[in-house]
Amino acid sequence: MKQPNNPFVLNGYQGKKYFCDRETDLQVLLNHVENDRNVVLFAWRRMGKSALMHRFFEELEDGVQYETIYVDFLATHKVEEAINAIAIAIYEKFGKTKSGLSATLQRLFSLLGVTFGLDPFTGAPEISIGLRNPGMNEYSLQALGKFLRDRKRRVLVTIDEFQQVSQYEEGNAEAMMRTWIQHFPDIRFIFSGSHRTMMIEMFAEKNRPFYQSAQLMALDPIPQEAYIPFIQKHFEAKGKTISSELINKIYAWARGQTYAVQLVCNHLFAQYSQVKEDDFITVVSDILGQHQSIFGSFAKMLTRSQWNLFKSIAKEEPLYSPLSKDFIGKHGLGASSTVSTALKALQKLELVVEDEGAYLVHDVLLARWMSKL
């Protein structure tokens, strides 16, 4: 893997040198997997779930017991597309050998009726599974599961954005996926999702197929005390300096959100040798300015009452009493029933989230931009 030009990585996982802490989370994951427990990993967006998964994969594959598969369900809308995503992940992991496809993989793809192609825009491999009859989805899932089960080493499958399954066209998609997973107890699964509310509902509601089928694991912000030496080490490696006091301010501004911390540090590292507070103010102003055209579109997407409440929460966060007379009166939001309806809509969209009793705008950058309106 090539070393990044900037140590504060914004896209994907670039190796543990550029990965901050998460030692406790890695140990918890390892304990679950080694003791045959499936895991539900949920967090607010841009907290570093995917990077943690790839860091965990690196740890597991340093040994000889496990092979790992990463599947992303974000762009899937039905079971057939989920199956395609799993098949592509298997091809990416096991299909690239010097001698071509292995005999077992050839047999699997033959059973599934797989055809290969290339995306005309990205050049990425595309796999299509021919549905020969109405029961093909269950048949395909079983074939994929048997292939993974029969590997010499145990397999860990991480499915990212797993909450998508609850929105599939097929009304029985959750039950179908749950049945599939139950048939292969030798395979470990980590279900990861950025829609925290939907993920918890899928695994905690009694009438849902995945009820209590995996261990719930919340991913919290990286501790502030871990970020300070990590950030300073990378600055010092290039003869640059940044104070711990300023890192604390960055962390507070970013609410500890991994992506926002990395983004600010990425810009500061690129532009300054001795970082001062004025530099931090300039950088965050530039970052928010770059996002203005995107953030401005939210006013058109929401009703007037939703937008006014959205702005008001950004200005007040953390907000503990959104229906209080003081808050409603201060921002001229109208009747409490109107505010209550707007709040429910914003929460359903996960534009606003409730965290330990406090209401926050989910996207930190958006919150900081709106707070200045």
Side-chain angles (χ1 to χ4, degrees):
M1 186 180 293
K2 295 178 181 178
Q3 290 194 351
N5 295 323
N6 191 308
F8 300 101
V9 177
L10 302 177
N11 302 300
Y13 176 70
Q14 297 286 325
K16 57 182 166 184
K17 179 180 178 181
Y18 307 102
F19 184 86
C20 180
D21 194 48
R22 295 289 188 202
E23 295 301 322
T24 299
D25 298 312
L26 289 167
Q27 286 301 314
V28 171
L29 283 171
L30 183 62
N31 180 270
H32 284 318
V33 169
E34 288 188 335
N35 287 282
D36 301 324
R37 307 176 197 124
N38 292 335
V39 181
V40 181
L41 181 68
F42 57 91
W44 303 127
R45 290 191 187 94
R46 294 184 165 183
M47 202 60 75
K49 295 184 306 302
S50 297
L52 174 62
M53 286 297 94
H54 289 292
R55 174 75 182 90
F56 184 51
F57 286 178
E58 190 176 64
E59 287 289 302
L60 281 184
E61 294 200 341
D62 277 347
V64 296
Q65 286 187 298
Y66 290 93
E67 292 178 309
T68 59
I69 299 277
Y70 177 84
V71 187
D72 190 350
F73 276 7
L74 180 61
T76 63
H77 300 91
K78 54 186 178 180
V79 173
E80 180 185 350
E81 293 173 353
I83 293 169
N84 284 346
I86 297 167
I88 289 171
I90 288 175
Y91 170 75
E92 289 286 337
K93 182 72 176 185
F94 304 114
K96 297 179 178 180
T97 64
K98 291 181 180 179
S99 58
L101 291 179
S102 67
T104 54
L105 199 54
Q106 287 182 27
R107 284 195 296 272
L108 170 67
F109 286 169
S110 176
L111 287 171
L112 299 181
V114 165
T115 58
F116 290 90
L118 294 177
D119 186 295
F121 299 105
T122 67
E126 285 188 329
I127 290 178
S128 177
I129 297 177
L131 297 181
R132 292 188 287 266
N133 57 65
M136 190 63 185
N137 282 336
E138 290 89 342
Y139 174 85
S140 298
L141 285 169
Q142 291 299 310
L144 291 167
K146 288 175 182 176
F147 174 84
L148 295 174
R149 182 196 61 194
D150 293 342
R151 299 290 301 173
K152 291 181 180 179
R153 290 190 282 171
R154 300 193 70 176
V155 173
L156 167 67
V157 178
T158 290
I159 304 178
D160 206 357
E161 303 301 348
F162 188 71
Q163 74 276 345
Q164 289 295 112
V165 174
S166 67
Q167 306 296 308
Y168 281 177
E169 295 174 5
E170 301 90 347
N172 66 337
E174 286 184 53
M176 191 184 303
M177 296 297 291
R178 175 70 175 122
T179 299
W180 174 55
I181 288 163
Q182 281 182 310
H183 283 170
F184 300 99
D186 292 340
I187 303 172
R188 292 278 61 73
F189 288 88
I190 295 177
F191 309 101
S192 175
S194 59
H195 201 302
R196 185 168 173 159
T197 303
M198 290 172 64
M199 288 292 289
I200 293 174
E201 288 173 350
M202 285 181 73
F203 289 87
E205 291 185 354
K206 290 183 179 180
N207 62 336
R208 304 285 285 271
F210 279 95
Y211 174 63
Q212 290 190 348
S213 63
Q215 308 300 304
L216 299 181
M217 179 178 170
L219 190 63
D220 295 320
I222 294 169
Q224 189 168 339
E225 58 270 20
Y227 251 134
I228 293 173
F230 173 81
I231 292 170
Q232 288 183 325
K233 176 187 70 176
H234 284 299
F235 270 84
E236 291 167 1
K238 293 295 183 179
K240 304 183 180 214
T241 59
I242 184 169
S243 69
S244 56
E245 291 78 15
L246 188 51
I247 295 172
N248 288 335
K249 290 183 178 181
I250 294 169
Y251 189 92
W253 183 88
R255 272 201 243 124
Q257 185 198 65
T258 305
Y259 177 79
V261 172
Q262 293 281 117
L263 181 63
V264 173
C265 289
N266 180 289
H267 281 262
L268 290 171
F269 181 88
Q271 297 178 46
Y272 304 101
S273 294
Q274 294 180 312
V275 184
K276 299 179 174 59
E277 186 168 354
D278 285 348
D279 304 327
F280 164 60
I281 294 170
T282 298
V283 159
V284 297
S285 178
D286 289 346
I287 289 171
L288 296 182
Q290 292 165 14
H291 287 76
Q292 182 160 335
S293 60
I294 298 172
F295 292 159
S297 66
F298 279 88
K300 300 175 183 178
M301 294 166 49
L302 303 172
T303 67
R304 180 176 295 181
S305 59
Q306 290 167 358
W307 174 244
N308 289 337
L309 176 60
F310 201 22
K311 286 192 300 180
S312 302
I313 292 173
K315 293 176 183 294
E316 296 286 338
E317 68 172 41
L319 174 66
Y320 289 93
S321 301
L323 300 181
S324 69
K325 290 183 179 179
D326 289 344
F327 171 71
I328 293 173
K330 178 180 178 180
H331 295 281
L333 298 176
S336 60
S337 58
T338 301
V339 175
S340 177
T341 300
L343 181 61
K344 290 176 182 176
L346 293 172
Q347 286 183 281
K348 186 175 182 179
L349 294 169
E350 275 213 340
L351 294 174
V352 169
V353 296
E354 184 183 3
D355 192 17
E356 297 182 355
Y359 290 84
L360 308 165
V361 173
H362 195 171
D363 187 317
V364 173
L365 300 183
L366 176 58
R368 300 310 181 213
W369 180 79
M370 286 199 300
S371 70
K372 298 184 180 298
L373 296 179

